[in-house]
Amino acid sequence: MTVITWTDDRVEQLKKLWEGGLSASQIAAELGNVTRNAVIGKVHRLGLSGRAKSPSSAAPRPRKPRPAQQMVRMPRPIARGNTALAHNYEVEMEPDPISVDNVIPISQRLQLVELNDATCHWPVGDPASADFYFCGGKSVAGAPYCAHHSRIAYQPASDRRRAAPKPVR
DNA sequence: CCCTGATTCGC
DNA sequence: GCGAATCAGG
């Protein structure tokens, strides 16, 4: 497939047709092998964008944040109640800096069924283990964790720039 | 919804 | 530099 670019010939024809008042799509059809987007893009690059264009088109466009598909950024896929890990390797959860996990009073510890909006959902220990439990502390408003654990759970971790693969468009 | 040009931005 | 995606307007 011959992929021809903008040869002098085609550019000249483009200019002629454009200034002739033809629309971008018409020009694209005339030239062939190009889309009207390509034509418009080229026209702009050539600097002959302003024809007798509509003033409305020159309307001040503030800026487009262009989130494309807005992607919901979760704080972190922290281990929720039960991920049913078949594997046995060390659960790499954020190690508690102050090691509160070991200090949570047994009386406060909860089983899954005991959790509610007011209790901290922070899992402690191996979910597959019998001594697994949830923190059970007092949940902070808007968070499923107590003040201490929500601080851990919602830590920024890392801001990645644009790691969007986007192989096909 | 069709069209238009305009703009942005990943490639 | 190129052009698809996206936008805003008619």
Side-chain angles (χ1 to χ4, degrees):
Chain A
M1 177 159 177
T2 311
V3 64
I4 40 182
T5 50
W6 287 104
T7 62
D8 292 348
D9 238 35
R10 290 167 66 83
V11 171
E12 198 170 339
Q13 195 176 2
L14 167 62
K15 287 181 181 177
K16 182 184 174 185
L17 293 173
W18 179 259
E19 292 174 35
L22 290 179
S23 68
S25 58
Q26 284 179 307
I27 296 175
E30 184 69 28
L31 293 174
N33 297 311
V34 281
T35 64
R36 72 175 200 91
N37 272 322
V39 170
I40 293 175
K42 184 58 180 176
V43 163
H44 273 248
R45 259 171 263 123
L46 290 173
L48 44 82
S49 54
R51 200 161 41 175
K53 64 182 179 186
S54 310
S56 51
S57 298
R61 192 166 311 172
R63 249 292 185 138
K64 211 174 49 148
R66 200 179 202 289
Q69 293 96 355
Q70 71 213 36
M71 62 179 186
V72 181
R73 183 164 310 200
M74 296 296 271
R76 251 297 137 129
I78 58 164
R80 282 308 267 256
N82 167 28
T83 44
L85 297 178
H87 241 302
N88 191 5
Y89 55 76
E90 299 279 22
V91 182
E92 54 165 312
M93 211 183 314
E94 262 84 335
D96 195 331
I98 332 176
S99 64
V100 184
D101 289 347
N102 299 324
V103 185
I104 298 174
I106 297 179
S107 60
Q108 177 186 296
R109 302 180 182 186
L110 297 177
Q111 300 302 312
L112 176 59
V113 293
E114 299 178 291
L115 294 176
N116 59 54
D117 289 343
T119 60
C120 179
H121 290 46
W122 187 268
V124 181
D126 182 0
S129 173
D131 59 353
F132 174 77
Y133 63 92
F134 291 92
C135 169
K138 183 177 183 295
S139 292
V140 168
Y145 305 112
C146 66
H148 173 72
H149 284 130
S150 58
R151 187 174 61 77
I152 298 172
Y154 296 136
Q155 218 130 51
S158 63
D159 278 7
R160 39 198 115 225
R161 274 266 145 258
R162 48 172 84 104
K166 190 87 174 176
V168 64
R169 57 172 33 159

